[in-house]
Amino acid sequence: MPDRLRITYDLTLAPGEEPDAKARDIAREQTVELPPGGASAEVEARVVGTVETLTPADEGRWRAVIAYDAALVGTDLPQLLNLVFGNVSLKAGIRVTRLDLPPGLLARFPGPRLGIAGLRERCGIPRRPLLCAAAKPVGLSAPALADLCYRFARAGVDLVKDDHSLTDQDTAPFRERVERCRDAVARANRETGGHTLYFPNVTGPRATLDERLDVARADGCAGVLLNALPLGLDAIGAPAEWGLAVLAHPTFAGAFFGAHHGIAPDVLLGTIFRLAGSDGVIYPNVGGRFPDSVFSDDACVAINDALRAPLGGLRPAFPMPGGGIDADRVPHWIERYGPDTIFLVGSSLYAQPDLDAAARRLVESVRRNGS
Amino acid sequence: MPDRLRITYDLTLAPGEEPDAKARDIAREQTVELPPGGASAEVEARVVGTVETLTPADEGRWRAVIAYDAALVGTDLPQLLNLVFGNVSLKAGIRVTRLDLPPGLLARFPGPRLGIAGLRERCGIPRRPLLCAAAKPVGLSAPALADLCYRFARAGVDLVKDDHSLTDQDTAPFRERVERCRDAVARANRETGGHTLYFPNVTGPRATLDERLDVARADGCAGVLLNALPLGLDAIGAPAEWGLAVLAHPTFAGAFFGAHHGIAPDVLLGTIFRLAGSDGVIYPNVGGRFPDSVFSDDACVAINDALRAPLGGLRPAFPMPGGGIDADRVPHWIERYGPDTIFLVGSSLYAQPDLDAAARRLVESVRRNGS
């Protein structure tokens, strides 16, 4: 029996649809893409997915577990995406809620090269939760962004990243921005004896990715940020080739988070982003400015679990919840999510009248409550 | 006044949401990503999107046109995707229905390098619609796939492409498959005096793309197929660097086609896939096996228009409807979609008892009705 991967789909039926026909249709659409009889019996038996279980689920839905030959994927993340939710994305009422890869297939994906332990080592922080702030907004000059990086580093924030919308705009060209922000963080570190790391956003045209990674590496950055879906999920694996850690941003990914059609957030941002190599994954925290219908308390915990729970030989990755993180609430989130978390503080810091004092309060709160 | 791009969003309100607040929230979320007052007045005025119009639309929705400074995009397709539907993808009730780029911004994207006229020239067919068939399914050996290519080419099909699920599986490794299929098509062309072109699927891990394009070019292929969303939309532009035409497949894109949240098919598969450089774009034709709720007659015509209508200096691209295409119905589709169309015939051919005769009938029908 060859290795099989198993995909769990929650099915919402249209009027007249039958659950078993819908499940069998998925098993064909994702493989032979032909009506029954369109391929030889041998190919049908080997290639078409097998509906292993089909059971009623909440709210009139059905849950189908379909097993596929792992050989259909090879070592190929784009083809895994195609198998998981390729052509069926063009249908309706199909939501991927779980992905189980056999050990042989898991071993073919690199996963995080640093992971939680490796990123902790680069930060010099063995146990407590980490704090990350973003230099923003787009439209500021490189010196103005560098000044923000300096102030966050002075306050003792562990990681400072570029806003995900900063790419190579004329207001703050990539190379100038990276050099100035890196210098600003290094200066603050010298002054405080701290170890703040700066993560530039390397998102840009496909042809520039390697060049930007080379700049980040040559400038001594420990890691980078990238917009995973706009670049292509396989790009998550690229920074590791330069020895760089990688934080993956969820922009554009929300299209997949339909209530009845798409991929569950913990499968996409958790399992798949981790397989692709993310050392940290940003997501909208419950209670922030994104709808709780998608990012519920349960959904956030499920993302954390998918990033951290044992998964073959793959390293665990840091969840990076953003939204609703301030000095008063951070003890609650540390209690809820545990120490292996990077808390991303964004717009709430900028809403404070004294940015430096607010950053210091937050740093103190994380250090005090997370030790 | 700097160049502005305009994005039209259809808004579906949650209970308690106000249309003007929702539109203004989008304009901030996609730019400064900060609450009012979080950035300087100068940055606010220059960077935050401007809600130009807000009008009631069908079914209780509202339609907002928001203008953004084109300088936010630069020459950067991933950043364009981020601006169009990045963070707001993580919200709800927001659907992009139109994208208007100013001439200066349009000119920074290459668009199709061959387009309709260039692909016609490679096929040697100046006016009539083209016919494309797919060698499938995944799981067949390279010789078996090559035999299918041979038979389609013998029948006079204009383009033969790999199935989009064929990547580099052990059953038909990429290099062997491309060589055998190319040889098979060349042999058929010699025998018939025809000009059938073979388009291999170059989708695979990020690091293999250039190598596969090089193989396709060295093997004398006129163009390639790629799975645009799994690879990253910017990869659509890569084949042109090797002198290859590119057909873009919509797998994985269906996540964006929610009725109330996402990107309209004509904006994503039409405008954006064309900006990225597609010479032909495959989509599920109305009346095929994909739901008409998404791919309605109107939606298909809108995709065709977005690919073919004047758009700055960008070349028009071929729409490639697949589904419901057979010898009997092809006259209807030619009448409906016009000659600048590539009809993709997939599973319906394989359902015929005599594949060769069915392919010949289809070729004859296209030639007779399309001239």
Side-chain angles (χ1 to χ4, degrees), chain B residues 145-178:
Chain B
L145 292 164
D147 180 59
L148 288 164
C149 291
Y150 173 77
R151 293 160 71 184
F152 290 135
R154 281 285 306 194
V157 169
D158 304 301
L159 297 90
V160 182
K161 71 166 190 68
D162 283 344
D163 181 66
H164 78 285
S165 292
L166 290 163
T167 55
D168 188 36
Q169 289 90 356
D170 290 343
T171 40
F174 175 76
R175 191 178 284 259
E176 182 196 353
R177 185 178 85 237
V178 176

mmCIF file of all heavy atoms in Angstrom, chain B residues 145-178:
data_model
loop_
_atom_site.group_PDB
_atom_site.id
_atom_site.type_symbol
_atom_site.label_atom_id
_atom_site.label_comp_id
_atom_site.label_asym_id
_atom_site.label_seq_id
_atom_site.Cartn_x
_atom_site.Cartn_y
_atom_site.Cartn_z
ATOM 1 N N LEU B 145 1.188 9.545 -22.186
ATOM 2 C CA LEU B 145 0.811 10.949 -22.400
ATOM 3 C C LEU B 145 1.241 11.412 -23.790
ATOM 4 O O LEU B 145 0.505 12.123 -24.483
ATOM 5 C CB LEU B 145 1.437 11.840 -21.315
ATOM 6 C CG LEU B 145 0.861 11.627 -19.903
ATOM 7 C CD1 LEU B 145 1.788 12.229 -18.845
ATOM 8 C CD2 LEU B 145 -0.542 12.217 -19.778
ATOM 9 N N ALA B 146 2.434 10.976 -24.192
ATOM 10 C CA ALA B 146 2.929 11.355 -25.523
ATOM 11 C C ALA B 146 2.023 10.779 -26.611
ATOM 12 O O ALA B 146 1.766 11.433 -27.635
ATOM 13 C CB ALA B 146 4.370 10.869 -25.707
ATOM 14 N N ASP B 147 1.503 9.584 -26.383
ATOM 15 C CA ASP B 147 0.591 8.986 -27.359
ATOM 16 C C ASP B 147 -0.673 9.832 -27.504
ATOM 17 O O ASP B 147 -1.173 10.040 -28.616
ATOM 18 C CB ASP B 147 0.235 7.562 -26.924
ATOM 19 C CG ASP B 147 -0.724 6.892 -27.899
ATOM 20 O OD1 ASP B 147 -0.345 6.785 -29.086
ATOM 21 O OD2 ASP B 147 -1.845 6.532 -27.493
ATOM 22 N N LEU B 148 -1.180 10.338 -26.388
ATOM 23 C CA LEU B 148 -2.354 11.217 -26.454
ATOM 24 C C LEU B 148 -2.031 12.498 -27.220
ATOM 25 O O LEU B 148 -2.820 12.956 -28.052
ATOM 26 C CB LEU B 148 -2.839 11.558 -25.040
ATOM 27 C CG LEU B 148 -3.520 10.411 -24.296
ATOM 28 C CD1 LEU B 148 -3.605 10.714 -22.802
ATOM 29 C CD2 LEU B 148 -4.913 10.160 -24.884
ATOM 30 N N CYS B 149 -0.856 13.064 -26.947
ATOM 31 C CA CYS B 149 -0.441 14.278 -27.675
ATOM 32 C C CYS B 149 -0.394 14.001 -29.177
ATOM 33 O O CYS B 149 -0.844 14.820 -30.000
ATOM 34 C CB CYS B 149 0.931 14.758 -27.194
ATOM 35 S SG CYS B 149 0.936 15.404 -25.517
ATOM 36 N N TYR B 150 0.171 12.846 -29.523
ATOM 37 C CA TYR B 150 0.277 12.463 -30.929
ATOM 38 C C TYR B 150 -1.111 12.400 -31.579
ATOM 39 O O TYR B 150 -1.343 12.938 -32.663
ATOM 40 C CB TYR B 150 0.974 11.111 -31.036
ATOM 41 C CG TYR B 150 0.992 10.540 -32.432
ATOM 42 C CD1 TYR B 150 1.885 11.020 -33.394
ATOM 43 C CD2 TYR B 150 0.108 9.528 -32.796
ATOM 44 C CE1 TYR B 150 1.894 10.508 -34.681
ATOM 45 C CE2 TYR B 150 0.110 8.999 -34.080
ATOM 46 C CZ TYR B 150 1.004 9.498 -35.026
ATOM 47 O OH TYR B 150 1.001 8.989 -36.293
ATOM 48 N N ARG B 151 -2.027 11.774 -30.869
ATOM 49 C CA ARG B 151 -3.368 11.596 -31.446
ATOM 50 C C ARG B 151 -4.083 12.945 -31.602
ATOM 51 O O ARG B 151 -4.762 13.183 -32.608
ATOM 52 C CB ARG B 151 -4.165 10.616 -30.593
ATOM 53 C CG ARG B 151 -3.564 9.204 -30.690
ATOM 54 C CD ARG B 151 -3.993 8.323 -29.530
ATOM 55 N NE ARG B 151 -5.395 7.961 -29.624
ATOM 56 C CZ ARG B 151 -6.045 7.252 -28.678
ATOM 57 N NH1 ARG B 151 -5.395 6.864 -27.588
ATOM 58 N NH2 ARG B 151 -7.308 6.957 -28.825
ATOM 59 N N PHE B 152 -3.951 13.818 -30.622
ATOM 60 C CA PHE B 152 -4.576 15.148 -30.744
ATOM 61 C C PHE B 152 -3.947 15.930 -31.902
ATOM 62 O O PHE B 152 -4.634 16.619 -32.657
ATOM 63 C CB PHE B 152 -4.439 15.940 -29.443
ATOM 64 C CG PHE B 152 -5.275 15.410 -28.301
ATOM 65 C CD1 PHE B 152 -4.733 15.280 -27.027
ATOM 66 C CD2 PHE B 152 -6.598 15.042 -28.500
ATOM 67 C CE1 PHE B 152 -5.501 14.809 -25.970
ATOM 68 C CE2 PHE B 152 -7.378 14.560 -27.446
ATOM 69 C CZ PHE B 152 -6.826 14.443 -26.178
ATOM 70 N N ALA B 153 -2.628 15.838 -32.019
ATOM 71 C CA ALA B 153 -1.949 16.564 -33.096
ATOM 72 C C ALA B 153 -2.341 15.980 -34.458
ATOM 73 O O ALA B 153 -2.582 16.725 -35.419
ATOM 74 C CB ALA B 153 -0.431 16.511 -32.893
ATOM 75 N N ARG B 154 -2.427 14.660 -34.546
ATOM 76 C CA ARG B 154 -2.884 14.018 -35.794
ATOM 77 C C ARG B 154 -4.267 14.508 -36.191
ATOM 78 O O ARG B 154 -4.567 14.668 -37.374
ATOM 79 C CB ARG B 154 -2.961 12.489 -35.613
ATOM 80 C CG ARG B 154 -1.656 11.736 -35.683
ATOM 81 C CD ARG B 154 -1.113 11.583 -37.072
ATOM 82 N NE ARG B 154 -2.069 10.985 -38.012
ATOM 83 C CZ ARG B 154 -1.735 10.509 -39.191
ATOM 84 N NH1 ARG B 154 -0.456 10.510 -39.581
ATOM 85 N NH2 ARG B 154 -2.643 10.008 -39.996
ATOM 86 N N ALA B 155 -5.111 14.707 -35.172
ATOM 87 C CA ALA B 155 -6.484 15.153 -35.458
ATOM 88 C C ALA B 155 -6.535 16.623 -35.865
ATOM 89 O O ALA B 155 -7.564 17.093 -36.342
ATOM 90 C CB ALA B 155 -7.371 14.914 -34.241
ATOM 91 N N GLY B 156 -5.430 17.337 -35.663
ATOM 92 C CA GLY B 156 -5.391 18.746 -36.078
ATOM 93 C C GLY B 156 -5.733 19.743 -34.984
ATOM 94 O O GLY B 156 -6.004 20.918 -35.270
ATOM 95 N N VAL B 157 -5.720 19.290 -33.725
ATOM 96 C CA VAL B 157 -5.921 20.229 -32.614
ATOM 97 C C VAL B 157 -4.774 21.246 -32.637
ATOM 98 O O VAL B 157 -3.626 20.887 -32.879
ATOM 99 C CB VAL B 157 -5.958 19.450 -31.271
ATOM 100 C CG1 VAL B 157 -5.898 20.390 -30.075
ATOM 101 C CG2 VAL B 157 -7.209 18.568 -31.213
ATOM 102 N N ASP B 158 -5.062 22.529 -32.383
ATOM 103 C CA ASP B 158 -4.042 23.570 -32.555
ATOM 104 C C ASP B 158 -2.998 23.581 -31.442
ATOM 105 O O ASP B 158 -1.818 23.769 -31.686
ATOM 106 C CB ASP B 158 -4.712 24.948 -32.639
ATOM 107 C CG ASP B 158 -5.741 25.006 -33.751
ATOM 108 O OD1 ASP B 158 -5.342 24.776 -34.914
ATOM 109 O OD2 ASP B 158 -6.925 25.228 -33.463
ATOM 110 N N LEU B 159 -3.463 23.429 -30.204
ATOM 111 C CA LEU B 159 -2.545 23.423 -29.058
ATOM 112 C C LEU B 159 -2.832 22.185 -28.218
ATOM 113 O O LEU B 159 -3.995 21.873 -27.949
ATOM 114 C CB LEU B 159 -2.739 24.657 -28.162
ATOM 115 C CG LEU B 159 -2.464 26.029 -28.759
ATOM 116 C CD1 LEU B 159 -3.714 26.627 -29.397
ATOM 117 C CD2 LEU B 159 -1.951 26.982 -27.702
ATOM 118 N N VAL B 160 -1.780 21.513 -27.799
ATOM 119 C CA VAL B 160 -1.920 20.413 -26.849
ATOM 120 C C VAL B 160 -1.144 20.810 -25.602
ATOM 121 O O VAL B 160 0.030 21.181 -25.683
ATOM 122 C CB VAL B 160 -1.354 19.096 -27.415
ATOM 123 C CG1 VAL B 160 -1.562 17.972 -26.410
ATOM 124 C CG2 VAL B 160 -2.018 18.761 -28.737
ATOM 125 N N LYS B 161 -1.815 20.769 -24.466
ATOM 126 C CA LYS B 161 -1.144 21.146 -23.222
ATOM 127 C C LYS B 161 -1.153 19.961 -22.257
ATOM 128 O O LYS B 161 -1.999 19.079 -22.339
ATOM 129 C CB LYS B 161 -1.830 22.353 -22.584
ATOM 130 C CG LYS B 161 -3.199 22.057 -21.985
ATOM 131 C CD LYS B 161 -3.673 23.194 -21.089
ATOM 132 C CE LYS B 161 -4.924 22.798 -20.296
ATOM 133 N NZ LYS B 161 -4.664 21.751 -19.264
ATOM 134 N N ASP B 162 -0.205 19.980 -21.332
ATOM 135 C CA ASP B 162 -0.245 19.043 -20.215
ATOM 136 C C ASP B 162 -1.435 19.351 -19.319
ATOM 137 O O ASP B 162 -1.814 20.515 -19.145
ATOM 138 C CB ASP B 162 1.008 19.217 -19.329
ATOM 139 C CG ASP B 162 2.256 18.598 -19.913
ATOM 140 O OD1 ASP B 162 2.155 17.772 -20.830
ATOM 141 O OD2 ASP B 162 3.355 18.964 -19.429
ATOM 142 N N ASP B 163 -1.993 18.330 -18.704
ATOM 143 C CA ASP B 163 -2.937 18.544 -17.620
ATOM 144 C C ASP B 163 -2.231 19.353 -16.532
ATOM 145 O O ASP B 163 -1.029 19.193 -16.289
ATOM 146 C CB ASP B 163 -3.406 17.206 -17.063
ATOM 147 C CG ASP B 163 -4.418 17.373 -15.954
ATOM 148 O OD1 ASP B 163 -5.515 17.864 -16.238
ATOM 149 O OD2 ASP B 163 -4.095 17.047 -14.797
ATOM 150 N N HIS B 164 -2.985 20.206 -15.821
ATOM 151 C CA HIS B 164 -2.349 21.093 -14.841
ATOM 152 C C HIS B 164 -1.855 20.347 -13.606
ATOM 153 O O HIS B 164 -1.097 20.914 -12.823
ATOM 154 C CB HIS B 164 -3.299 22.223 -14.447
ATOM 155 C CG HIS B 164 -4.349 21.797 -13.475
ATOM 156 N ND1 HIS B 164 -5.436 21.039 -13.845
ATOM 157 C CD2 HIS B 164 -4.465 21.995 -12.143
ATOM 158 C CE1 HIS B 164 -6.169 20.802 -12.781
ATOM 159 N NE2 HIS B 164 -5.614 21.363 -11.742
ATOM 160 N N SER B 165 -2.269 19.097 -13.425
ATOM 161 C CA SER B 165 -1.781 18.318 -12.276
ATOM 162 C C SER B 165 -0.500 17.547 -12.588
ATOM 163 O O SER B 165 0.080 16.919 -11.700
ATOM 164 C CB SER B 165 -2.853 17.348 -11.785
ATOM 165 O OG SER B 165 -3.934 18.055 -11.205
ATOM 166 N N LEU B 166 -0.073 17.553 -13.829
ATOM 167 C CA LEU B 166 1.187 16.903 -14.198
ATOM 168 C C LEU B 166 2.339 17.849 -13.863
ATOM 169 O O LEU B 166 2.480 18.907 -14.484
ATOM 170 C CB LEU B 166 1.213 16.592 -15.695
ATOM 171 C CG LEU B 166 0.278 15.486 -16.164
ATOM 172 C CD1 LEU B 166 0.096 15.550 -17.681
ATOM 173 C CD2 LEU B 166 0.825 14.114 -15.765
ATOM 174 N N THR B 167 3.141 17.470 -12.887
ATOM 175 C CA THR B 167 4.274 18.335 -12.556
ATOM 176 C C THR B 167 5.563 17.537 -12.786
ATOM 177 O O THR B 167 6.101 17.562 -13.890
ATOM 178 C CB THR B 167 4.154 18.883 -11.118
ATOM 179 O OG1 THR B 167 4.017 17.811 -10.191
ATOM 180 C CG2 THR B 167 2.932 19.794 -11.002
ATOM 181 N N ASP B 168 5.987 16.781 -11.779
ATOM 182 C CA ASP B 168 7.217 15.991 -11.946
ATOM 183 C C ASP B 168 7.061 14.655 -11.220
ATOM 184 O O ASP B 168 8.002 14.166 -10.603
ATOM 185 C CB ASP B 168 8.404 16.801 -11.381
ATOM 186 C CG ASP B 168 9.743 16.155 -11.694
ATOM 187 O OD1 ASP B 168 9.898 15.575 -12.787
ATOM 188 O OD2 ASP B 168 10.644 16.220 -10.829
ATOM 189 N N GLN B 169 5.859 14.094 -11.280
ATOM 190 C CA GLN B 169 5.613 12.827 -10.598
ATOM 191 C C GLN B 169 6.484 11.712 -11.189
ATOM 192 O O GLN B 169 6.839 11.761 -12.377
ATOM 193 C CB GLN B 169 4.124 12.446 -10.725
ATOM 194 C CG GLN B 169 3.185 13.322 -9.902
ATOM 195 C CD GLN B 169 2.682 14.544 -10.655
ATOM 196 O OE1 GLN B 169 3.089 14.795 -11.789
ATOM 197 N NE2 GLN B 169 1.810 15.312 -10.022
ATOM 198 N N ASP B 170 6.793 10.728 -10.361
ATOM 199 C CA ASP B 170 7.627 9.611 -10.810
ATOM 200 C C ASP B 170 7.021 8.877 -12.007
ATOM 201 O O ASP B 170 7.746 8.288 -12.812
ATOM 202 C CB ASP B 170 7.829 8.605 -9.660
ATOM 203 C CG ASP B 170 8.732 9.181 -8.577
ATOM 204 O OD1 ASP B 170 9.439 10.173 -8.847
ATOM 205 O OD2 ASP B 170 8.723 8.628 -7.456
ATOM 206 N N THR B 171 5.690 8.894 -12.111
ATOM 207 C CA THR B 171 5.051 8.206 -13.230
ATOM 208 C C THR B 171 5.387 8.854 -14.575
ATOM 209 O O THR B 171 5.377 8.161 -15.599
ATOM 210 C CB THR B 171 3.519 8.215 -13.037
ATOM 211 O OG1 THR B 171 3.115 9.497 -12.509
ATOM 212 C CG2 THR B 171 3.092 7.126 -12.074
ATOM 213 N N ALA B 172 5.665 10.153 -14.566
ATOM 214 C CA ALA B 172 5.997 10.857 -15.820
ATOM 215 C C ALA B 172 6.884 12.057 -15.481
ATOM 216 O O ALA B 172 6.416 13.192 -15.473
ATOM 217 C CB ALA B 172 4.725 11.319 -16.538
ATOM 218 N N PRO B 173 8.159 11.807 -15.215
ATOM 219 C CA PRO B 173 9.048 12.909 -14.803
ATOM 220 C C PRO B 173 9.077 14.032 -15.840
ATOM 221 O O PRO B 173 8.963 13.774 -17.046
ATOM 222 C CB PRO B 173 10.419 12.223 -14.698
ATOM 223 C CG PRO B 173 10.119 10.772 -14.527
ATOM 224 C CD PRO B 173 8.851 10.520 -15.297
ATOM 225 N N PHE B 174 9.236 15.257 -15.342
ATOM 226 C CA PHE B 174 9.094 16.446 -16.187
ATOM 227 C C PHE B 174 9.882 16.346 -17.488
ATOM 228 O O PHE B 174 9.357 16.502 -18.589
ATOM 229 C CB PHE B 174 9.509 17.700 -15.405
ATOM 230 C CG PHE B 174 9.503 18.946 -16.248
ATOM 231 C CD1 PHE B 174 8.314 19.564 -16.580
ATOM 232 C CD2 PHE B 174 10.689 19.485 -16.734
ATOM 233 C CE1 PHE B 174 8.293 20.701 -17.378
ATOM 234 C CE2 PHE B 174 10.672 20.618 -17.538
ATOM 235 C CZ PHE B 174 9.476 21.227 -17.853
ATOM 236 N N ARG B 175 11.172 16.073 -17.362
ATOM 237 C CA ARG B 175 12.034 16.155 -18.543
ATOM 238 C C ARG B 175 11.679 15.081 -19.580
ATOM 239 O O ARG B 175 11.581 15.362 -20.781
ATOM 240 C CB ARG B 175 13.495 16.032 -18.116
ATOM 241 C CG ARG B 175 14.501 16.369 -19.196
ATOM 242 C CD ARG B 175 15.917 16.262 -18.664
ATOM 243 N NE ARG B 175 16.274 17.378 -17.822
ATOM 244 C CZ ARG B 175 17.021 18.418 -18.245
ATOM 245 N NH1 ARG B 175 17.473 18.459 -19.483
ATOM 246 N NH2 ARG B 175 17.313 19.403 -17.425
ATOM 247 N N GLU B 176 11.442 13.868 -19.076
ATOM 248 C CA GLU B 176 11.063 12.796 -20.009
ATOM 249 C C GLU B 176 9.730 13.116 -20.676
ATOM 250 O O GLU B 176 9.546 12.899 -21.880
ATOM 251 C CB GLU B 176 10.968 11.452 -19.263
ATOM 252 C CG GLU B 176 10.634 10.304 -20.215
ATOM 253 C CD GLU B 176 10.155 9.043 -19.512
ATOM 254 O OE1 GLU B 176 10.201 8.976 -18.259
ATOM 255 O OE2 GLU B 176 9.711 8.119 -20.237
ATOM 256 N N ARG B 177 8.795 13.622 -19.883
ATOM 257 C CA ARG B 177 7.462 13.919 -20.425
ATOM 258 C C ARG B 177 7.558 14.982 -21.522
ATOM 259 O O ARG B 177 6.968 14.829 -22.601
ATOM 260 C CB ARG B 177 6.567 14.416 -19.289
ATOM 261 C CG ARG B 177 5.136 14.656 -19.691
ATOM 262 C CD ARG B 177 4.307 15.108 -18.495
ATOM 263 N NE ARG B 177 4.391 16.531 -18.254
ATOM 264 C CZ ARG B 177 4.789 17.106 -17.130
ATOM 265 N NH1 ARG B 177 5.162 16.359 -16.097
ATOM 266 N NH2 ARG B 177 4.826 18.413 -17.016
ATOM 267 N N VAL B 178 8.306 16.045 -21.252
ATOM 268 C CA VAL B 178 8.387 17.133 -22.229
ATOM 269 C C VAL B 178 9.014 16.622 -23.523
ATOM 270 O O VAL B 178 8.522 16.887 -24.624
ATOM 271 C CB VAL B 178 9.180 18.328 -21.661
ATOM 272 C CG1 VAL B 178 9.356 19.415 -22.713
ATOM 273 C CG2 VAL B 178 8.468 18.899 -20.440
#
